[in-house]
Amino acid sequence: MDASHVEQDLVNVLFTEKQIQDRLGELASEIERDYAGHDLLIVGILRGAVMVMADLARSLSRHVEMDWMAISSYGSGTKSSGVVRILKDLDTDITGRHVLIVDEIIDTGLTLSWLTSNLTSREPASVEICTLLRKPEALQMPVEVKYVGWDIPNEFVVGYGLDYRERYRNLRDIGTLSPHVYS
């Protein structure tokens, strides 16, 4: 689905599919350089990071292991509740492993701060974060992020894995959702 299919629901398109793919290729190059000579486990955060995780992994020119976690702090609303629940934990033992958390967006930072602490307690060699989008104005908890696609304004965005009530995830672009949709 592209933006023309839902243009009445979007204020604007922030990033096109091509811009997203190009930026993920740049991030993949940085990751390959930084983890040269090391095995890497990338951990995607379900459901939103599915697109980012898949395309980032395909942009890498090296072997990489993948695992998934499902965590929730949103419920069905548009703002984080701040209460984090693990819905699906890792299947992989990360002790002594280099772990790269892959997420589609950092909003308040509460969820990723909690997750980073949780994974660090499992004694990996390292834990870093890669996110496609970050909202600096929305941060409530400082989170060290090694790889950031773009910083964006504090607006409600959808597409490329980002949803509103499970809609818009399969939109190839990322756009700002019109308030008339969620008001």
Side-chain angles (χ1 to χ4, degrees):
M1 177 170 67
D2 63 37
S4 68
H5 293 108
V6 292
E7 64 188 345
Q8 71 281 2
D9 294 351
L10 300 177
V11 174
N12 64 329
V13 173
L14 293 174
F15 305 105
T16 65
E17 180 179 19
K18 181 175 180 349
Q19 289 173 307
I20 294 166
Q21 295 306 316
D22 290 348
R23 186 64 182 124
L24 287 174
E26 293 167 359
L27 292 172
S29 294
E30 291 178 41
I31 292 165
E32 287 176 338
R33 182 191 66 236
D34 291 348
Y35 288 96
H38 297 285
D39 288 333
L40 179 62
L41 172 68
I42 57 176
V43 174
I45 307 304
L46 293 171
R47 297 179 194 146
V50 168
M51 310 297 187
V52 177
M53 180 88 153
D55 288 342
L56 179 67
R58 286 190 293 234
S59 295
L60 294 166
S61 59
R62 57 170 288 169
H63 292 289
V64 65
E65 287 185 57
M66 294 189 272
D67 202 345
W68 298 92
M69 288 187 80
I71 54 179
S72 175
S73 67
Y74 278 82
S76 62
T78 61
K79 298 203 182 303
S80 175
S81 68
V83 177
V84 180
R85 297 179 309 141
I86 294 178
L87 305 175
K88 184 225 174 281
D89 206 345
L90 295 173
D91 295 323
T92 308
D93 179 4
I94 64 170
T95 305
R97 306 284 308 270
H98 292 282
V99 176
L100 180 63
I101 300 168
V102 178
D103 208 356
E104 81 281 12
I105 192 166
I106 297 176
D107 199 336
T108 63
L110 296 170
T111 303
L112 274 178
S113 174
W114 180 89
L115 180 60
T116 303
S117 176
N118 179 285
L119 294 182
T120 300
S121 74
R122 302 179 194 195
E123 301 180 1
S126 67
V127 175
E128 300 290 350
I129 299 170
C130 175
T131 188
L132 185 61
L133 305 173
R134 176 176 59 185
K135 295 181 182 179
E137 297 168 17
L139 283 174
Q140 295 177 18
M141 178 73 66
V143 179
E144 285 189 43
V145 183
K146 190 162 187 175
Y147 309 99
V148 178
W150 293 283
D151 284 330
I152 63 169
N154 189 15
E155 299 171 340
F156 196 85
V157 292
V158 294
Y160 199 71
L162 295 154
D163 76 299
Y164 174 65
R165 295 190 173 172
E166 296 303 322
R167 296 178 54 125
Y168 308 99
R169 283 195 198 276
N170 60 324
L171 177 62
R172 291 183 186 105
D173 307 313
I174 295 173
T176 304
L177 190 62
S178 178
H180 83 266
V181 176
Y182 58 87
S183 295

